[in-house]
Amino acid sequence: MEVIEKVLPNGWKKFIVKNDFGISISALDYGGIITEINVPDRRGTVENVVLSYKNYEDYIEDPNYFGALIGRVAGRVDGSFFHLNGETYVLDSNDGDNSLHGGNQGFHKKIWNAAPFQMTGAAGVEFTVEIPDLEGGYPGSLSVKITYELTNQNQFSINYQAVSDQDTAVTLTNHSYFNLSGNVKRTVRDHKIKINSNHYVELDENLIPTGEIKSNESTPFDLNRESTLQTGIESSHQQIQLAGRGFDHYFIFNETEEENLSLKDEKSGRALRVHTNQPGMVLYTGNNLNSDHLLETGPAQKHSGLCLETQASPASLHHGGFPSVFLKANEPYEKKTTFTFATI
């Protein structure tokens, strides 16, 4: 195990974490952005399985949030406001009338304090930042620590910790786009996915939750049995069409000791399993990606990658019955998502 630290020409720091079995993770102190997750295929060929820009400058104004840490609240907040303790808090509107992924100064824009670490069988980087009261419109000063850790069991874990001095709203995630083909050889349409979930959240035409939690049964959202993404993407289901011919939906996980989801690319033989203590996940299939976005491997295209955004639901700010993003003052926020890489 080792961690290599580099200073880029623009002053950002880049950290490369390697294990003893050919897997490496590269991340920036800017936005905590993951630029590479290099994983061997069934033949031992090591390639990058997340989307990354060819030019680092493209991360500064990135509509896709490639690889970034997302907060204070991941996802879209309807109308850019919420009520808490008798007060109305008005948020940054950066997605039409709505607030997306923490607003204009979200976690993806921060230069994080970054400290690499190594221990027996594991290594990584600890990112910390202090967020002032009312930044982006959210109440409370928020202390945040997020740890990226890679082990010799080929597991990559993201540990999210935060505490606020006031009641507030928090749900954190990472916005990496996975493509297990390696170096974006193909789209993710042929990837096979299984999600341990019986319910998804219905969206309106602005991709805002309607307040309805729907059963997956007999819909393209029933991914309890392994299914090829293309099957869902090509569906005529109204929810698939309004999201831009793909998924951009929150799945509520079933309560189980089993993995929350699995992903496979049969051509490369790469497989990914995800375990988390988050209550659900947004599956986004890169419906808005296009050739204007120049990746390290060339122009992007629709469905070049998919996001597995484990988090609670911002719909809880306006509707009952959703996994809540509210956090009490001085109550620790502690969430963890682990990605386990393997071959088939």
Side-chain angles (χ1 to χ4, degrees):
M1 305 291 305
E2 67 173 327
V3 184
I4 300 169
E5 180 178 339
K6 296 181 177 181
V7 178
L8 302 178
N10 63 2
W12 295 349
K13 293 179 181 177
K14 179 180 180 179
F15 298 88
I16 304 168
V17 185
K18 298 181 177 181
N19 77 359
D20 298 333
F21 297 96
I23 292 181
S24 66
I25 314 287
S26 294
L28 307 175
D29 63 349
Y30 178 76
I33 291 169
I34 295 170
T35 60
E36 296 176 51
I37 300 180
N38 294 295
V39 179
D41 67 7
R42 68 163 61 93
R43 296 180 178 84
T45 303
V46 177
E47 294 169 312
N48 189 9
V49 296
V50 293
L51 304 190
S52 57
Y53 282 118
K54 182 177 180 63
N55 301 309
Y56 285 112
E57 291 73 21
D58 289 342
Y59 289 110
I60 298 173
E61 298 296 335
D62 178 15
N64 302 304
Y65 300 84
F66 279 165
L69 291 173
I70 304 296
R72 291 188 190 194
V73 171
R76 291 178 174 86
V77 177
D78 188 10
S80 299
F81 76 94
F82 66 94
H83 304 300
L84 178 61
N85 297 336
E87 300 287 337
T88 298
Y89 292 94
V90 179
L91 312 177
D92 292 342
S93 295
N94 62 332
D95 183 55
D97 293 331
N98 308 307
S99 186
L100 176 63
H101 291 334
N104 297 320
Q105 295 300 315
F107 287 9
H108 62 291
K109 291 282 192 180
K110 303 296 182 187
I111 296 288
W112 291 70
N113 298 310
F117 64 87
Q118 292 177 244
M119 62 184 76
T120 303
V125 184
E126 181 182 280
F127 295 96
T128 57
V129 72
E130 299 292 326
I131 307 296
D133 180 32
L134 295 178
E135 180 171 281
Y138 291 95
S141 299
L142 190 72
S143 297
V144 185
K145 179 169 72 174
I146 299 176
T147 305
Y148 292 167
E149 180 177 286
L150 178 64
T151 74
N152 270 335
Q153 285 70 48
N154 296 341
Q155 292 184 326
F156 172 52
S157 293
I158 306 180
N159 266 290
Y160 303 90
Q161 296 175 279
V163 64
S164 172
D165 63 357
Q166 299 179 44
D167 291 356
T168 190
V170 175
T171 187
L172 311 181
T173 195
N174 178 273
H175 211 275
S176 290
Y177 289 69
F178 291 91
N179 184 323
L180 299 182
S181 70
N183 295 346
V184 201
K185 291 189 189 65
R186 301 175 295 278
T187 70
V188 296
R189 292 167 67 93
D190 289 335
H191 281 37
K192 291 187 174 180
I193 193 167
K194 180 181 178 184
I195 303 178
N196 202 327
S197 169
N198 292 333
H199 296 89
Y200 75 98
V201 172
E202 182 183 68
L203 300 177
D204 68 16
E205 63 276 3
N206 295 314
L207 304 181
I208 295 292
T210 64
E212 294 290 326
I213 296 173
K214 295 287 192 178
S215 169
N216 294 350
E217 188 175 358
S218 301
T219 75
F221 298 88
D222 184 359
L223 300 174
N224 274 297
R225 292 177 297 278
E226 189 175 77
S227 178
T228 303
L229 276 170
Q230 182 166 325
T231 303
I233 288 170
E234 292 184 347
S235 165
S236 61
H237 194 283
Q238 184 260 353
Q239 285 285 301
I240 296 290
Q241 295 298 312
L242 72 79
R245 289 190 299 114
F247 295 95
D248 195 1
H249 295 77
Y250 187 78
F251 288 76
I252 298 174
F253 291 137
N254 299 332
E255 292 187 14
T256 175
E257 295 300 315
E258 299 177 16
E259 63 199 26
N260 300 99
L261 71 100
S262 62
L263 188 69
K264 296 177 183 175
D265 176 56
E266 291 187 336
K267 289 185 179 179
S268 70
R270 293 186 180 94
L272 172 63
R273 300 191 307 276
V274 178
H275 291 80
T276 185
N277 62 351
Q278 291 277 21
M281 176 196 74
V282 174
L283 170 63
Y284 173 55
T285 49
N287 314 324
N288 296 320
L289 297 177
N290 59 60
S291 59
D292 291 341
H293 310 130
L294 185 59
L295 307 179
E296 183 66 36
T297 52
Q301 59 178 306
K302 193 180 189 75
H303 307 140
S304 283
L306 63 87
C307 297
L308 306 171
E309 303 165 58
T310 56
Q311 59 177 92
S313 174
S316 63
L317 293 170
H318 295 109
H319 304 283
F322 287 81
S324 178
V325 302
F326 287 111
L327 182 70
K328 295 279 190 184
N330 302 312
E331 179 180 290
Y333 176 93
E334 296 180 331
K335 300 295 181 181
K336 181 178 181 179
T337 298
T338 299
F339 304 89
T340 302
F341 295 95
T343 53
I344 55 174

